Amino acid sequence: MYYVKNDYFCAKFLKLKIFDIEIMREVLNSAKNGMLLVFLCLSAQVFAWSDTQDEGAVSTEEEIKEYIDHHVKDAHDFHLFSYTNDAGERVHVGFPLPVILWSSEGLVTFMSSAFHHDDAGEVIVERKGARFVKVHSKIYELEAGATQVDLDAKDHPTNAHKVLDFSITKSVVGILLVGLFMLWAFSSLARQYKNKSVPTGFGRVLEPLVLYVRDEIAKPNIGEKKYRQFTGYLLTVFFFIWILNLLGLTPFGFNVTGQLAVTAALAVVTLVIYTVSGNKDYWMHMLWMPGVPVLIRPVLAVIELAGAFLIKPFSLLVRLFANISAGHIVVMSLIAIMFTLQDSLGAVGATGLSLVLSFFITLIEVLVAFLQAYIFTMLSALFIGMAVAEHDHEHHHDTEGHKVPDAEDVRGDFI
Amino acid sequence: MYNLIGAGLIVIGAGIGLGQIGGKAMEGIARQPEATGKIQTAMIIIAALLEGLAFGALFLGK
Amino acid sequence: METLINDFSPGLFIVQTILLLGLIFLLVKFAWKPIMNSLDERETGIQDALAAAEKARADMQNLQADNEKMIQEARAEREAMLKEAREIKDKMIADSKEQAKIEGDKMIQQAQATIESEKMAAVAEIKGQVAELSVSIAEKLIKEQLAGKDKQMKLVDTLLGDIKLS
């Protein structure tokens, strides 16, 4: 529906430039990403807008901080690059994305181009009688009677409230792209097994990764007997996080796994899985711990419940979010050395320092991208394993008759 | 100001903890090289938990 | 914490949850299940093949041991046969030698006997002829000597004289 509207808005609000469309075409051709192309055809024409009140190139410390803050947040349009044209205007190249809001007036949809790249609440978009502003990548609905958004000291609007924002934001685009990529890659791998026992081509790269997740993460943590039903989830989460982490290191500027909502959704799914699949032993150990004095048991139950329902998911979601966000901030700050130290080190020195530092940090980030995916999957598997572990199993006894602890016994010590 | 000091304290604590984990893991690997895989896995898990704690504290204080 | 909560977008959370659940469902259905099944199949296949190879190797070893045994037996048998044959040969040779010797002896004896009898016969014949000749010669001599009366008288005298003497 909003696709139809989109043309109208584009015509109304955008100064389309043939030149910029050609640039975009080149970018797209070189990217050769069929899915991106399909998405583009659906969503909108490429747009370029020029900012009259824009501050120009990012160079001062304040601007860099703001730029980084802005990047780390989600965006409602897909911004690729900016340049200053011959007329001295700042031109941004990218394309708008659909905005879907659940406001006081019901479902409202329009293209993000309606905000005209405004992020300070200056452009008011009116749809179905409700008025919306965008402040720091968040869309607010103005209260009745307000004609202009008022911001407090922390830049939070005082006369507007948040709306439920189901927009196809940049993060959602990233999620969709990665989802489609995974579906394509792994279903083609699955199809390969029909004809041959050893996959060829790209499947040969994917197969060891699948085996790695199954043999190094699922099997040892969940146990030989029950790992099968959880491997699907673990594989999905592992590849989802890893590919999105890596996508975040590309110049497209995705920061999907650095969005709290995304990591929270992942952690909540893990929470639901280990809560639903928890067996009698698990609940017994949580609510009425055997083997300790009765008086301590309620205290332990509170701690265990808090651990299972708050601390575990919170640590999962915050770890991933913080690592990826911190990585992005560090890389961008190091790139910004190019401008901030230009005065003291000279153009060549600052650029060289920035290049060397950001190169090595990016290498570390590639490692972190894998490590965080691994840790998230690993801890999910561990939590699931704890929930489905059998405690009344046969123990091995050594020659003196002492219990020899096995993997099931010591697993709890790690948590 | 105070939250910055708190953040510094968190980072110091987490640093000491991570150093302990890494150092002990190295000792363990040196003593029993055949257990490298298990030690690494346990090390990463504990480091991840510590890291989660540190990040949690950082964000709570922010 | 405040910034954290402010940055949290409930809409994105809902969208991500829906997309993630959809992705998990689709991937499990179209990718992970077939992949896991194929991998398991392949692994059990490999295990079976290894077990089969191990079994074949054991069988081969058994077979080889059997062969070895059979070869040993055949060799022993051959040796026994050869020995027997050699013995038979020796015996035959010895037998035939003895036989030949006996036969030879017998022949020699016969020959000797024949020679003896021939000799005897010859001697007898010669004796007969000699006797005949002697008789005829003596007849002729006597006839000659006793042709005249004188001579006869003389002989009688001689004979008589001999008798006297004796």
Side-chain angles (χ1 to χ4, degrees):
Chain A
M1 187 172 65
Y2 46 83
Y3 297 138
V4 184
K5 278 185 176 176
N6 161 47
D7 287 342
Y8 164 73
F9 291 127
C10 284
K12 195 175 175 188
F13 287 102
L14 301 178
K15 298 176 215 163
L16 272 170
K17 291 181 181 172
I18 308 292
F19 174 66
D20 296 322
I21 291 173
E22 274 174 5
I23 289 174
M24 268 314 298
R25 242 179 231 144
E26 270 180 40
V27 170
L28 286 179
N29 285 342
S30 63
K32 280 186 181 172
N33 194 328
M35 284 182 281
L36 188 63
L37 197 68
V38 168
F39 188 82
L40 273 178
C41 294
L42 280 174
S43 82
Q45 281 91 348
V46 173
F47 76 122
W49 67 90
S50 48
D51 256 326
T52 43
Q53 83 276 30
D54 195 29
E55 60 284 339
V58 178
S59 55
T60 67
E61 217 162 296
E62 285 291 301
E63 283 164 359
I64 287 165
K65 194 170 179 310
E66 203 165 298
Y67 187 87
I68 292 172
D69 274 354
H70 181 257
H71 162 82
V72 169
K73 282 179 185 153
D74 205 359
H76 284 86
D77 47 37
F78 205 115
H79 178 220
L80 284 168
F81 58 90
S82 309
Y83 65 97
T84 310
N85 65 6
D86 294 339
E89 282 178 317
R90 195 81 186 134
V91 180
H92 305 280
V93 179
F95 48 90
L97 296 165
V99 175
I100 307 162
L101 301 172
W102 185 259
S103 70
S104 56
E105 303 296 319
L107 200 67
V108 179
T109 58
F110 53 94
M111 290 305 289
S112 69
S113 48
F115 284 117
H116 198 192
H117 196 56
D118 167 57
D119 206 28
E122 282 161 6
V123 177
I124 298 171
V125 179
E126 196 168 341
R127 292 284 178 279
K128 288 186 184 174
R131 286 160 304 152
F132 303 101
V133 288
K134 189 152 74 84
V135 182
H136 291 297
S137 306
K138 288 241 170 274
I139 294 176
Y140 296 88
E141 186 186 349
L142 281 177
E143 309 279 348
T147 50
Q148 201 187 346
V149 67
D150 294 326
L151 301 175
D152 62 11
K154 282 182 175 174
D155 269 2
H156 295 313
T158 50
N159 59 348
H161 60 266
K162 275 186 198 167
V163 286
L164 216 48
D165 185 358
F166 300 115
S167 308
I168 310 296
T169 57
K170 200 173 175 183
S171 296
V172 178
V173 172
I175 292 164
L176 286 170
L177 285 179
V178 170
L180 288 174
F181 171 75
M182 282 171 72
L183 275 177
W184 168 75
F186 290 108
S187 58
S188 66
L189 175 65
R191 248 178 286 120
Q192 281 201 334
Y193 284 113
K194 279 183 191 156
N195 305 322
K196 49 201 165 190
S197 56
V198 177
T200 48
F202 191 45
R204 196 171 279 181
V205 183
L206 296 175
E207 196 205 75
L209 294 168
V210 174
L211 283 176
Y212 177 80
V213 173
R214 192 194 65 174
D215 294 340
E216 303 295 324
I217 298 176
K219 257 188 207 172
N221 290 307
I222 300 178
E224 200 67 44
K225 270 182 254 166
K226 290 174 178 165
Y227 80 95
R228 271 305 285 256
Q229 51 179 319
F230 302 109
T231 312
Y233 170 67
L234 296 176
L235 281 164
T236 311
V237 164
F238 176 79
F239 286 106
F240 184 76
I241 297 175
W242 189 25
I243 297 169
L244 278 173
N245 285 351
L246 289 175
L247 201 62
L249 296 173
T250 59
F252 290 111
F254 285 107
N255 185 25
V256 185
T257 38
Q259 297 303 322
L260 207 52
V262 173
T263 60
L266 288 165
V268 165
V269 173
T270 299
L271 168 72
V272 168
I273 286 178
Y274 73 67
T275 307
V276 167
S277 58
N279 57 15
K280 216 181 107 200
D281 272 348
Y282 172 70
W283 290 107
M284 183 76 145
H285 277 73
M286 195 190 287
L287 298 172
W288 205 242
M289 178 72 85
V292 294
V294 179
L295 282 176
I296 301 178
R297 289 187 186 186
V299 182
L300 267 180
V302 170
I303 296 172
E304 289 272 339
L305 281 172
F309 290 104
L310 288 176
I311 299 171
K312 277 177 188 174
F314 192 73
S315 78
L316 274 182
L317 77 94
V318 167
R319 177 179 309 109
L320 183 56
F321 159 73
N323 266 292
I324 302 308
S325 295
H328 280 239
I329 292 170
V330 168
V331 169
M332 293 186 83
S333 306
L334 289 175
I335 290 169
I337 284 181
M338 232 179 264
F339 316 113
T340 50
L341 293 185
Q342 205 166 10
D343 292 338
S344 47
L345 292 176
V348 176
T351 309
L353 184 68
S354 159
L355 266 179
V356 170
L357 288 177
S358 49
F359 174 70
F360 285 110
I361 283 294
T362 308
L363 282 186
I364 292 173
E365 283 304 311
V366 173
L367 176 69
V368 167
F370 173 79
L371 204 63
Q372 289 308 316
Y374 170 76
I375 285 174
F376 193 99
T377 318
M378 174 76 144
L379 288 177
S380 294
L382 209 64
F383 296 155
I384 294 169
M386 281 166 69
V388 300
E390 304 280 353
H391 287 280
D392 51 353
H393 56 288
E394 281 290 310
H395 282 280
H396 298 286
H397 292 272
D398 60 16
T399 44
E400 279 100 44
H402 295 307
K403 258 200 320 198
V404 179
D406 56 16
E408 304 262 291
D409 295 319
V410 295
R411 183 187 290 139
D413 299 345
F414 291 121
I415 306 307
Chain B
M1 184 62 201
Y2 290 116
N3 56 8
L4 286 180
I5 295 170
L9 288 174
I10 293 163
V11 171
I12 289 171
I16 293 170
L18 279 172
Q20 288 271 331
I21 296 165
K24 296 288 178 194
M26 288 292 143
E27 275 177 26
I29 290 169
R31 202 167 293 164
Q32 271 179 301
E34 68 274 7
T36 308
K38 280 184 182 173
I39 293 174
Q40 268 171 352
T41 311
M43 179 185 81
I44 288 172
I45 292 170
I46 298 167
L49 289 169
L50 170 68
E51 197 187 47
L53 199 72
F55 275 127
L58 273 179
F59 278 99
L60 281 172
K62 197 181 166 188
Chain C
M1 197 67 195
E2 200 188 318
T3 354
L4 217 63
I5 290 168
N6 194 45
D7 277 349
F8 185 83
S9 160
L12 180 60
F13 175 79
I14 293 164
V15 171
Q16 156 71 2
T17 310
I18 293 165
L19 288 178
L20 182 67
L21 291 178
L23 188 64
I24 292 169
F25 172 77
L26 288 174
L27 277 174
V28 165
K29 186 152 188 230
F30 293 112
W32 305 133
K33 265 219 180 99
I35 289 174
M36 286 292 130
N37 289 338
S38 312
L39 286 175
D40 278 357
E41 228 166 76
R42 196 176 72 185
E43 269 153 26
T44 44
I46 289 170
Q47 227 134 39
D48 288 354
L50 281 177
E54 188 66 24
K55 198 168 163 285
R57 211 169 60 93
D59 284 357
M60 196 70 188
Q61 250 169 359
N62 282 347
L63 210 69
Q64 250 170 354
D66 282 358
N67 277 353
E68 197 78 5
K69 215 168 124 197
M70 271 164 74
I71 287 169
Q72 290 281 359
E73 271 169 18
R75 195 173 289 148
E77 205 169 333
R78 194 191 68 184
E79 232 130 76
M81 275 165 80
L82 276 175
K83 206 173 152 199
E84 206 176 337
R86 204 175 292 131
E87 272 168 12
I88 290 169
K89 182 192 84 181
D90 285 352
K91 197 162 163 258
M92 270 168 79
I93 290 170
D95 280 2
S96 46
K97 260 186 190 162
E98 209 169 320
Q99 195 98 21
K101 204 175 160 218
I102 291 167
E103 208 72 9
D105 284 356
K106 219 167 157 187
M107 274 164 80
I108 289 165
Q109 267 176 353
Q110 265 177 352
Q112 274 173 343
T114 312
I115 289 166
E116 198 69 21
S117 61
E118 289 291 315
K119 205 172 91 187
M120 298 290 259
V123 168
E125 208 181 299
I126 288 167
K127 269 184 184 166
Q129 281 185 350
V130 167
E132 234 171 275
L133 271 172
S134 313
V135 169
S136 62
I137 289 165
E139 201 183 81
K140 275 174 185 168
L141 272 172
I142 294 166
K143 263 179 190 172
E144 201 66 36
Q145 278 177 343
L146 299 173
K149 223 163 177 180
D150 314 346
K151 284 179 185 171
Q152 287 172 353
M153 285 314 287
K154 211 180 163 184
L155 184 59
V156 174
D157 287 346
T158 325
L159 286 170
L160 284 167
D162 284 346
I163 294 165
K164 274 181 190 168
L165 281 167
S166 30

